[in-house]
Structure formats: C-alpha cells, structure tokens
Amino acid sequence: MTEALFTADFKAEPHWWDAARPHHTRQAALPEKVDVAIIGSGYTGLVAALHLARAGRSVAVLEANEAGSGASRRNAGYLGRTLKRSFSWLEAHHGAEFATRVYRELDEARQFVFALVAELGIDCHIEACGRFIGANSLAHQSELLRELEVMQRRLGFLYHAVSRNDLQRELASEAYVGGAVIPDLGALHPALYHAGLLRAVAAAGVTVHTGTAFGGAKPDSDGFALTTSAGPLIARDLVMATNGYTPRFAEWLARRVIPFHGFMAATEELPAELVARLIPNRRTVIDSHVNINFIRPAPDARKILFGGLTGGPQPDLQARGRDLQAMLAGILPDLAGVKLSRAWSGQCAGTFDFLPHIGRQHGVWHALGYNFAGVPMGSYLGHKLAQKISGKAEGDTVFGTTPFPTFPGYSGNPWFVPLAMRWFDWQDARLARKAG
Ligand SMILES: Cc1cc2nc3c(=O)[nH]c(=O)nc-3n(C[C@H](O)[C@H](O)[C@H](O)COP(=O)(O)OP(=O)(O)OC[C@H]3O[C@@H](n4cnc5c(N)ncnc54)[C@H](O)[C@@H]3O)c2cc1C
C-alpha cells in the first residue's frame, strides 16, 4: 500500500460501517411456511417486510450474507428525486402525463423516506441540506438551468442558479462554471438508516435469516416451494429485492438488470474549519455529467466522502482510491495530497430504459433497477410492493406501468458497461463543446 496515500488505519470498507456494520441476526430455524418470502435485506426488502408484517402477513427475509451487506450500507446517502432521464426527455418520448407522474412519484419517494424516518424515530442524520450541481461547462449550465426551469414551472420543484462569481459560496472550487442549488433534496447516513429499518422489522415480528442463500423456487399448490441453503421453505408470495446483486439464475430479472460497480472513498479526518470552508452550506454535491462525480461532508463534518468512476472495472480498491483522490484534488485543490481512510465499492443496478421497475412475472414479485437512486426508490417501491401484495389499490405506481425491457442476447453479463460509460463521457464532452 502507498503509505503517502492511505492513513495508517485505512480499511477497504465503507466509512459508514464505523457506526453500523452489517451483521448476522440471531439465527432462527427457517419456518416451514410463510405468507411472504423476501429475498434481499436491503431497503427494498426491509420496507416491504415492515409493511407486510403490519398488514398481518407472516414474513421471512432471506439474506445470503450479513444483513445490509448489499448496497444499502455502502451508498452515498443522497436523497434526491433524480433519474438519468430528464423530465423533458420523458415528455418528448412518453408524453407529458407520463413524465409528470414519474417526477411526482420520484418526489413522493424522497418525502416517503423523511416521513418513515420520523415515524420510526431513526437517528440517521437525515436533513434537507440541499444539493449543489456544479456545471462542467457553459453549455452544461444552460442545459441544466433550462431543465430546472421547466420542472419549477411545471412541477413546482424549486431551484436557484449559482453564477461563476458565487461558486465559492457553495464549493471552494474552480472546476465549475457555476451551477444550481436544489434546496429541498436531502442526505442521510445510509447504514444508520438501514440499521433503524432492521430494528423496526424485528419489532414487527419479522425474522431476517442471514447467511441463508435463496437457490430457486418452483410453483407449489400453496404458492412457491423455495430451495435455500438453510433448507426448504413454502411461501404463498415470493419477492425478489436483490437489485445489483440479482443472481443470474433468476433469469427473467437477470436479463433486465445491469449490475455495475459504484466506488467511494473517505478522506482522513480534517479540521472542521477546512470542511466548512470547502463546502460552506454542507450540501451534497454532484456535477452536470451523466456519469457523475459526487462529494459530500460526512454527517459529523470531520471527513469528506466522495465517489465516481462508476461502472469501472472490478474493484482494485487501492487503484480506485488513487484515481478517486486525483479526481477529488481536481475539484477541491485544497485536498491535493490528503490521505484516504476508507475506500469501498458496491453493486448498483441499471436498466435498459433507465427507469426503476416494480411488478410480477411468473408469479414472482420484484422491485429493482434503481439506477443509483435506491435510497428513496428502494424504500418507496418496497412500500408499494407491500401494498400490491396486500391487494391495496394504493400499490399502483407509474413504475409498474411500462414493460421491463431487455436487450437481445443479454443474459446478465454486463460486459458493455465500461463502453456505455465512455459513450456517456463522449456525449458530455460533445455538449461541453457547444456554445453555452
Ligand atoms: C457506491 C454507491 C453509492 C450509491 N449512492 C447512492 C445515493 O447516494 N443515493 C441513492 O439513492 N442511491 C445510491 N446508491 C444505490 C443504492 O445504494 C441502491 O440502489 C439501494 O441500496 C438498493 O437497495 P436494495 O434493497 O434494492 O438492494 P441491496 O441493498 O443491494 O440488497 C440486495 C441484497 O440481496 C441479497 N441477495 C442477492 N441474491 C441473494 C440470494 N440468492 N439469496 C439471498 N440474498 C440474496 C444481497 O446479498 C444483498 O444484501 C449507491 C450505490 C453504491 C454502490
């Protein structure tokens, strides 16, 4: 390990695990039968489990590893209403009604998390800190402001523009030509949020069977007969809540979700005054590219957390850490040479239409394909799954109304992701060359 780059206590694991590490739950034998078996113990699986248990269903959550070992304790904790397809793009290709429903529900998802955290009393540093989007060029700035203006007018989503002269009020950087602030977007501590959900699920009487890998299911007169590493299980309903960790044997889903790596790192501890000077309003920060770099203060404002290189090759975390640190120093030159205390990766899931999907295929329920927005969308669609399984009309959502597309020949091997990222980079560079 390059000593100059990493602190003496460097760990290749999420910063968040210092406060809430994934763990095995107290082991209980699998029951013979349940109303609902949920595969995956992330936000989607737990929120579905909580609401199903409240509706009187017996529920077993099956988790191959430790509880929360997937992306739900590895992400950046951004709480937005973002989608890789803009409102205008959706309107042009699917009509105004569809675009409006999508963005309204994205906003409901953000609000749903604030409400759930308040209701369950989860101490996870949730706050509406606002988000600063740095524009990488004048053309990006015009495009960004045009889109935000459309959404403000049509949907009432507020924003304010940031000029180059005012950039330092948001970020101690010369990397952007300006940008915009979206004041109501939020942030939380993703692992503490997950830990709170896990406590709520246990209190509702649900067992999370960790170290229990789901191996497949066959239709049975009572629903499904599941094979698991802990023995058989009969479930009337079966839910796949596996997002970027969806197993290849779940063929129909594996042909539709595109797993890819997200990378993050944490700096060494920094003086509080330095963090306050670098990100004065303590907002989350992204840029205007499709394949974003992102920076935020840790909730205690003693470190800066940042990520990028999304979709890059299989994690060599030291090499990735080096690349991420160079990226960080390019944006915040004050942090050139700063050491890294943590670097980590996790699995995300893209889709061919860039939309999350919820539905039922061959009798099996699913909600996944969050395209890097699973903190709000996993929570929200987990709730929708529970409503659908309980037969409630409130389970209807726009994310269940369009076909879940695949691509001819795709069977779950995402070999093309690095090429797709290059394509996005090329598009961003092409836009940057346009006059602003
Ligand atoms: C580095 C990074 C940064 C991110 N930043 C953000 C962000 O700031 N904001 C945001 O909204 N989103 C972000 N995301 C995405 C977000 O974390 C995910 O979309 C979300 O956590 C998905 O939750 P989930 O419950 O659907 O799946 P996960 O939390 O990934 O859980 C899926 C679980 O399924 C289990 N599983 C799979 N197969 C089996 C099997 N056969 N048997 C039993 N269990 C199985 C896995 O072990 C895993 O624990 C980020 C992701 C990464 C990796």
Side-chain angles (χ1 to χ4, degrees):
M1 190 179 299
T2 322
E3 273 181 27
L5 184 57
F6 300 99
T7 59
D9 67 345
F10 172 83
K11 289 186 200 154
E13 64 175 41
H15 162 80
W16 313 114
W17 292 9
D18 290 6
R21 181 174 289 277
H23 56 86
H24 286 292
T25 52
R26 208 159 54 81
Q27 290 302 304
L30 266 190
E32 215 174 284
K33 230 176 182 180
V34 286
D35 291 333
V36 189
I38 296 176
I39 316 305
S41 70
Y43 304 136
T44 309
L46 294 188
V47 174
L50 175 66
H51 289 92
L52 283 162
R54 286 176 171 179
R57 305 296 162 105
S58 61
V59 182
V61 176
L62 310 187
E63 169 53 55
N65 300 300
E66 295 169 308
S69 51
S72 295
R73 291 199 189 194
R74 296 171 180 273
N75 61 72
Y78 284 37
L79 195 45
R81 51 171 169 258
T82 24
L83 195 69
K84 292 291 174 197
R85 291 294 191 208
S86 68
F87 178 85
S88 299
W89 190 96
L90 286 180
E91 184 175 30
H93 291 82
H94 296 276
E97 192 196 333
F98 183 78
T100 304
R101 283 182 71 194
V102 165
Y103 270 84
R104 286 251 177 264
E105 281 202 50
L106 290 171
D107 195 45
E108 273 176 42
R110 179 190 63 84
Q111 293 178 35
F112 173 79
V113 175
F114 275 100
L116 186 65
V117 164
E119 184 218 322
L120 299 175
I122 301 175
D123 186 1
C124 60
H125 307 282
I126 192 165
E127 57 174 334
C129 51
R131 180 175 301 176
F132 171 65
I133 306 175
N136 296 78
S137 71
L138 289 173
H140 278 101
Q141 171 82 335
S142 322
E143 185 76 14
L144 173 68
L145 297 183
R146 194 189 53 73
E147 188 61 29
L148 291 174
E149 185 55 35
V150 169
M151 289 203 289
Q152 179 160 286
R153 195 163 17 90
R154 304 279 293 278
L155 303 165
F157 297 164
L158 300 179
Y159 80 98
H160 65 258
V162 176
S163 67
R164 189 194 278 269
N165 287 344
D166 289 340
L167 178 61
Q168 301 286 326
R169 291 194 195 159
E170 293 294 338
L171 200 66
S173 176
E174 298 291 334
Y176 304 117
V177 300
V181 166
I182 307 178
D184 58 344
L185 303 192
L188 48 64
H189 187 303
L192 288 177
Y193 172 46
H194 183 272
L197 291 177
L198 198 58
R199 278 194 301 278
V201 157
V206 174
T207 304
V208 177
H209 298 269
T210 56
T212 303
F214 167 67
K218 289 205 172 100
D220 175 274
S221 54
D222 285 331
F224 288 96
L226 278 68
T227 310
T228 86
S229 60
L233 174 66
I234 303 286
R236 196 179 318 137
D237 283 293
L238 174 60
V239 174
M240 293 298 287
T242 45
N243 202 46
Y245 297 81
T246 298
R248 291 282 290 274
F249 67 75
E251 275 177 42
W252 192 86
L253 289 176
R255 290 183 53 227
R256 285 161 175 81
V257 295
I258 308 159
F260 59 88
H261 296 295
F263 300 99
M264 287 192 67
T267 63
E268 61 188 299
E269 276 196 17
L270 302 169
E273 316 79 67
L274 176 61
V275 176
R277 188 167 62 73
L278 295 176
I279 312 178
N281 298 316
R282 296 179 53 138
R283 302 193 200 278
T284 58
V285 176
I286 64 170
D287 59 38
S288 59
H289 283 156
V290 178
N291 190 9
I292 54 167
N293 292 325
F294 48 101
I295 301 175
R296 63 166 287 183
D300 65 4
R302 290 169 69 188
K303 292 181 178 181
I304 284 181
L305 314 178
F306 56 103
L309 312 170
T310 306
Q314 190 65 24
D316 164 358
L317 287 173
Q318 284 182 37
R320 291 283 82 78
R322 211 165 290 126
D323 296 343
L324 281 175
Q325 203 237 23
M327 175 276 277
L328 181 69
I331 298 168
L332 297 172
D334 290 273
L335 296 183
V338 75
K339 291 186 181 186
L340 302 186
S341 59
R342 299 285 185 275
W344 70 95
S345 70
Q347 292 274 110
C348 307
T351 53
F352 288 103
D353 59 3
F354 298 92
L355 290 170
H357 284 271
I358 180 171
R360 193 180 196 190
Q361 187 66 26
H362 308 308
V364 181
W365 297 96
H366 61 264
L368 32 62
Y370 301 128
N371 293 277
F372 229 60
V375 177
M377 290 312 297
S379 310
Y380 178 75
L381 291 188
H383 185 217
K384 291 286 180 193
L385 272 175
Q387 291 173 321
K388 280 180 178 295
I389 294 169
S390 307
K392 293 184 184 158
E394 299 95 304
D396 285 350
T397 153
V398 70
F399 299 107
T401 60
T402 53
F404 196 165
T406 180
F407 198 76
Y410 179 63
S411 61
N413 173 11
W415 59 268
F416 49 85
V417 167
L419 295 180
M421 294 300 172
R422 293 256 167 77
W423 165 249
F424 295 141
D425 293 346
W426 180 80
Q427 281 185 317
D428 280 328
R430 197 176 59 145
L431 174 60
R433 283 195 297 273
K434 279 193 189 166

